[in-house]
Amino acid sequence: MKLIQIFLIFIFCSLSAQRVLPFDTLRIKEVRDLFADDYGNIYLYKNKDFSFTKYDSLGKQLGKLMFTVPFKVQGVQNPLSIALFSENAQEIKFVDQNLNEIQKIDFKQKFTYIKHAYAEDLQQIWLLDESTKRLLQYNFRNDTTINSYPFDASFDDLIDLLVFENKVYILTKNQFRIYNLKFEKLYEAPLENGKRLRRENEFVLIVAKNSIFKYIPEKEVTKIFEDPDVQIVEKNSLAYFEIKGNKLYLYNLENIRDSKIQTVIESPKNDTEKTVDELIKEKTEKPDMIKLLDEIQDLGF
């Protein structure tokens, strides 16, 4: 069933480089953030009323959450378990595909003040404790702190945090940084208007106000999508999405990839081994969507 859904999304995305999705302006108006899972479902977060609403690709509402305090949505890559963190409430919630609460973890009783939380999986959360200036690896299934690392950096301009393969990815107001767990800086690059970090397979994506960047491990940060006139941008594995003029647009991933939109943001300490043209050529030899279609055909769909 999952493969059939993905195939239908593939056909939908392949029809045109750009499509306007059927969302009326009242739903799009005052949206603070946009998310899209790989099933084509759209999630809209409004800061005005702290609402988080899920729709299918045709605009039908599938679920809705109303909060009394702001919550930060980590991502919807796993729509069966979506993590939402509230610094105000000092708690993290996990909701299912219908946005029903699965679990709530209250940090007030166990920790002093948690500035950021990143749910690595269904067992572990990385917590940034502002009072003790430490990064904590916390197993919420058995309520134990596995590791504690000193965090020797400013909390003031910190926007988001992600931990992957023993590296700490930090997004600030003006920079993207990578540290090891000893908090030795491994990489740094200037980056304006960043909103959140997201992992996509072995890559880390940086979603900004009107652009999306990809960090290529041990290489550089590359801009993979940009539209200076949009309000919000988002990406799933098949397409790019943007809110522009109170309309929701979908862009074919392959057509965007063929355009000359990719640029490299150099780090002062970064020695690029390959040119941007070489990287684009590697990525376009066999596009991900074509690979997906091949796999579906091999399975007899």
Side-chain angles (χ1 to χ4, degrees), residues 138-266:
Y138 174 60
N139 187 314
F140 60 90
R141 293 297 182 193
N142 55 26
D143 190 25
T144 57
T145 300
I146 303 170
N147 288 300
S148 176
Y149 305 95
F151 185 85
D152 188 20
S154 171
F155 285 69
D156 296 337
D157 61 349
L158 198 61
I159 294 175
D160 204 4
L161 171 146
L162 183 151
V163 182
F164 176 53
E165 293 187 341
N166 297 320
K167 293 180 181 178
V168 184
Y169 297 82
I170 298 290
L171 182 63
T172 72
K173 292 180 180 179
N174 302 307
Q175 289 182 322
F176 169 68
R177 303 172 190 159
I178 304 173
Y179 298 86
N180 59 24
L181 290 174
K182 295 180 180 179
F183 272 87
E184 298 168 334
K185 190 184 294 181
L186 305 177
Y187 180 85
E188 183 179 77
L191 198 145
E192 298 288 339
N193 300 316
K195 294 176 61 177
R196 67 177 183 270
L197 298 171
R198 200 184 89 197
R199 188 166 70 85
E200 188 176 84
N201 300 319
E202 72 273 25
F203 300 106
V204 171
L205 301 183
I206 307 114
V207 180
K209 180 181 178 181
N210 50 29
S211 52
I212 300 175
F213 303 83
K214 176 187 287 187
Y215 171 68
I216 301 173
E218 314 301 331
K219 293 289 190 302
E220 71 278 308
V221 172
T222 302
K223 184 184 293 182
I224 58 174
F225 183 82
E226 182 180 40
D227 187 340
D229 299 322
V230 304
Q231 300 156 254
I232 303 172
V233 295
E234 170 63 335
K235 176 186 181 300
N236 65 9
S237 63
L238 296 173
Y240 292 97
F241 301 80
E242 67 177 28
I243 292 178
K244 184 176 181 179
N246 286 329
K247 291 184 179 180
L248 178 58
Y249 294 89
L250 176 149
Y251 287 85
N252 185 319
L253 190 65
E254 299 308 322
N255 286 6
I256 291 294
R257 183 176 297 169
D258 290 339
S259 69
K260 296 181 180 179
I261 200 169
Q262 301 197 8
T263 57
V264 173
I265 298 179
E266 296 288 353

